[in-house]
Amino acid sequence: MEYITSVKNNKIKELKKLLTTRGRRKAQKYLLEGEHLIKEALQNNISLNEVYVTTEYLNRDRLHLIRDYFPQAIQITEEVAQVITDTVHPQGLVSVVDMPEQPDLDMSQGRWLLLDEVQDPGNVGTMVRTADAAGLKGVVLSPDAVDLYAPKVQRAMQGSQFHLPILVNDLAETITVMQQHDLIVYGSLVDERAQDYRQVKPQKDWALIMGNEARGMNSALLEKVNANLYIPIFGKAESLNVAVAAGIIIYGLSR
Amino acid sequence: MEYITSVKNNKIKELKKLLTTRGRRKAQKYLLEGEHLIKEALQNNISLNEVYVTTEYLNRDRLHLIRDYFPQAIQITEEVAQVITDTVHPQGLVSVVDMPEQPDLDMSQGRWLLLDEVQDPGNVGTMVRTADAAGLKGVVLSPDAVDLYAPKVQRAMQGSQFHLPILVNDLAETITVMQQHDLIVYGSLVDERAQDYRQVKPQKDWALIMGNEARGMNSALLEKVNANLYIPIFGKAESLNVAVAAGIIIYGLSR
């Protein structure tokens, strides 16, 4: 097994670049970390370019797994693992994956989640996971949302990135296409003048937009949607976390 | 204004201890960071022991605010701020607060959220915020949950910690007391043999237990509750994030 012990190794220098949005876009590759995500990728026919394992990971009784599944794996030290991951305690298994081409999706029907400039990696990942759990058809991210391929986003999606298509597209354009096909598009607002999500009549197909954590949805989009929904606040909190709010509305609309 | 420039200053050494659970328990004090949290504390009559501000914070046109509200504030350098906070980019305003005494709560009625061994600071904080938004009466944490006074938990609560009482108590004992007063206690399970949360008849008062992120609820508690609820998974995700699941069930029960 090839063994890399230096952080100055050329392969490692190239991998390090994949920790930035710019580096990922240039290489059209991204990093997947941890046994759970890498298993999910394999189960969903995602091909792995290279696999890196730490000595510590191999010592945790995982040598048979590596021999069976990743015969070409490259062994690295903990120090090298630190350099190519953004976690304090790397999980010991890292892989390089090609960025998929943008899927060509039929937006004329189905249920959709649209994320307008959502910035927190954990929030985006958690919402993709919720969209998967609720059986939505796909997720559309605005181009100014956090990068889908950032390691933190990939981790928070917990494999859901391989279960449903995720597209980056202009949301105004997306809404126009959906509405041309009579799909109802809901915005979300922290404002009691909007419609209480509990009053919405169950529909077969719809799209829901969640906005930026601090500023909410872009006003241009608020005007385009069929209706804006809000979640009533019964206590003293100013608002709900955006991923929690998405879960409440998605499951509310799915009843 | 007193100005501390050394991380070896005795006051700073004492503050640093408040970053650990052990240090906080010994001193019976904790740290609050950031303008939003500190304003929320003041608005809810929480007295601040000491206030520390960075030079950078003062330069951001905040000198008038400090002069008006915190005349005794102590100025610190960015380097010192780094040492007494756990964030990469400290917000420049830190205060020391006395831990409140455990509130003596009437658990015979109302709506409650019980957290069994939940470990992620963001999840606990987000659930307290959701409990506040939904107008619940209080939150009870099991003694083995993440420490309520950890800076990350305090940040994620976004002020909700001052809006509703939060108690640390044995959950088996808590359930017994609630059930003696005919309060219905729901557990939550990722298992379709449990009851679909959408089938629950709306009740005025109830308690909901959310379990550990990986292991779920303790089996001893699962047997004590009146019913265990689950959220149907329509897609391929294994489960929902615990804070999202809490939001869905709490708002589902609040309809």
Side-chain angles (χ1 to χ4, degrees):
Chain A
M1 194 183 278
E2 188 179 341
Y3 186 28
I4 300 178
T5 56
S6 166
V7 297
K8 288 176 183 163
N9 177 289
N10 278 336
K11 268 183 190 155
I12 300 306
K13 280 187 189 164
E14 288 303 310
L15 287 182
K16 217 176 134 178
K17 291 180 186 166
L18 301 184
L19 289 176
T20 67
T21 306
R22 198 167 156 240
R24 288 188 292 271
R25 291 211 176 133
K26 208 174 156 195
Q28 288 294 300
K29 292 176 197 300
Y30 67 102
L31 296 165
L32 269 188
E33 196 199 338
E35 213 172 277
H36 176 243
L37 270 190
I38 288 176
K39 274 186 188 165
E40 280 276 359
L42 289 175
Q43 281 163 13
N44 290 279
N45 302 314
I46 307 293
S47 53
L48 309 175
N49 285 327
E50 296 144 38
V51 175
Y52 296 84
V53 280
T54 62
T55 311
E56 202 181 53
Y57 182 86
L58 289 174
N59 291 343
R60 267 179 302 179
D61 201 26
R62 289 292 197 277
L63 191 55
H64 62 287
L65 188 145
I66 295 298
R67 279 209 184 118
D68 291 350
Y69 291 96
F70 313 115
Q72 306 299 327
I74 297 168
Q75 190 177 342
I76 54 175
T77 61
E78 283 296 310
E79 193 196 355
V80 171
Q82 291 279 356
V83 166
I84 61 168
T85 60
D86 69 344
T87 44
V88 182
H89 303 290
Q91 296 188 56
L93 186 64
V94 184
S95 176
V96 182
V97 180
D98 286 333
M99 275 189 195
E101 283 184 36
Q102 282 260 90
D104 195 13
L105 298 175
D106 168 18
M107 290 183 183
S108 67
Q109 40 90 16
R111 293 175 176 183
W112 298 83
L113 177 64
L114 277 44
L115 303 182
D116 181 29
E117 232 185 290
V118 181
Q119 289 303 316
D120 181 80
N123 285 340
V124 169
T126 303
M127 285 192 274
V128 169
R129 189 177 161 195
T130 303
D132 178 17
L136 302 199
K137 194 172 173 194
V139 177
V140 185
L141 261 71
S142 67
D144 46 13
V146 66
D147 180 33
L148 183 59
Y149 297 101
K152 277 185 190 169
V153 180
Q154 290 289 319
R155 273 197 301 278
M157 294 194 285
Q158 299 221 356
S160 290
Q161 60 265 58
F162 309 120
H163 299 163
L164 82 174
I166 308 168
L167 192 75
V168 177
N169 205 39
D170 182 78
L171 291 195
E173 199 186 295
T174 305
I175 298 172
T176 302
V177 171
M178 289 177 161
Q179 287 175 332
Q180 279 166 354
H181 291 94
D182 296 322
L183 208 73
I184 296 175
V185 181
Y186 297 112
S188 53
L189 261 182
V190 186
D191 185 339
E192 298 200 358
R193 286 168 298 179
Q195 191 182 345
D196 187 331
Y197 83 101
R198 300 171 302 174
Q199 311 301 328
V200 175
K201 269 195 210 150
Q203 304 281 346
K204 192 173 151 277
D205 294 344
W206 43 261
L208 170 69
I209 310 175
M210 299 303 299
N212 175 273
E213 289 88 344
R215 296 180 300 280
M217 271 172 60
N218 275 300
S219 53
L221 300 183
L222 286 174
E223 287 162 20
K224 275 183 78 81
V225 298
N226 297 69
N228 282 300
L229 309 181
Y230 85 100
I231 299 172
I233 301 284
F234 303 110
K236 287 187 270 179
E238 282 170 22
S239 64
L240 286 154
N241 164 276
V242 66
V244 172
I248 292 171
I249 302 180
I250 289 172
Y251 268 83
L253 293 177
S254 304
R255 69 182 179 270
Chain B
M1 193 183 283
E2 187 179 342
Y3 187 28
I4 299 179
T5 56
S6 166
V7 297
K8 288 176 183 165
N9 176 289
N10 279 336
K11 270 185 189 154
I12 300 305
K13 280 186 189 166
E14 288 302 310
L15 287 182
K16 215 176 135 179
K17 292 179 185 166
L18 302 183
L19 290 176
T20 66
T21 306
R22 199 168 154 239
R24 288 188 292 271
R25 291 210 176 133
K26 209 174 155 193
Q28 287 293 302
K29 292 176 197 300
Y30 67 103
L31 296 164
L32 268 188
E33 196 198 339
E35 213 172 278
H36 176 244
L37 270 190
I38 289 175
K39 273 186 187 164
E40 279 276 358
L42 289 175
Q43 281 163 13
N44 290 280
N45 302 314
I46 306 293
S47 53
L48 309 175
N49 284 327
E50 298 143 37
V51 175
Y52 296 83
V53 280
T54 61
T55 311
E56 202 181 55
Y57 182 88
L58 289 174
N59 290 342
R60 268 178 302 182
D61 201 27
R62 290 292 197 277
L63 191 56
H64 63 286
L65 187 145
I66 295 298
R67 279 209 183 116
D68 290 351
Y69 291 96
F70 312 114
Q72 306 299 327
I74 297 168
Q75 190 177 342
I76 56 175
T77 60
E78 283 297 307
E79 194 196 355
V80 170
Q82 290 280 356
V83 166
I84 61 167
T85 60
D86 69 345
T87 43
V88 182
H89 304 288
Q91 296 187 57
L93 186 63
V94 184
S95 176
V96 182
V97 180
D98 286 333
M99 275 189 197
E101 282 183 37
Q102 282 260 89
D104 195 13
L105 298 175
D106 168 17
M107 291 184 183
S108 67
Q109 41 91 16
R111 294 176 176 182
W112 298 84
L113 177 64
L114 277 44
L115 303 181
D116 180 29
E117 231 185 291
V118 181
Q119 288 304 316
D120 181 81
N123 284 340
V124 169
T126 303
M127 286 192 275
V128 169
R129 189 175 160 198
T130 303
D132 177 17
L136 302 199
K137 194 172 172 194
V139 177
V140 185
L141 260 71
S142 66
D144 46 13
V146 66
D147 180 33
L148 183 60
Y149 297 101
K152 277 186 190 170
V153 179
Q154 290 290 319
R155 274 197 302 276
M157 293 194 286
Q158 298 222 357
S160 290
Q161 59 266 58
F162 309 121
H163 300 162
L164 81 173
I166 308 168
L167 192 76
V168 177
N169 204 39
D170 181 78
L171 291 196
E173 198 185 295
T174 305
I175 297 171
T176 302
V177 171
M178 289 177 162
Q179 287 175 332
Q180 279 167 355
H181 291 94
D182 296 323
L183 208 72
I184 295 174
V185 181
Y186 297 111
S188 53
L189 260 183
V190 186
D191 185 339
E192 299 200 356
R193 286 169 298 181
Q195 191 182 346
D196 186 332
Y197 82 101
R198 300 171 302 175
Q199 310 302 328
V200 175
K201 269 195 210 154
Q203 306 279 347
K204 192 172 152 276
D205 294 345
W206 43 260
L208 170 69
I209 311 176
M210 299 304 298
N212 176 274
E213 289 89 343
R215 296 180 301 279
M217 272 172 59
N218 275 300
S219 51
L221 300 183
L222 286 174
E223 287 161 21
K224 276 183 77 82
V225 298
N226 298 68
N228 282 299
L229 308 182
Y230 86 98
I231 299 172
I233 302 285
F234 303 109
K236 288 187 269 181
E238 282 170 23
S239 63
L240 287 155
N241 164 276
V242 65
V244 172
I248 292 171
I249 302 181
I250 289 171
Y251 269 84
L253 294 176
S254 303
R255 66 183 180 270

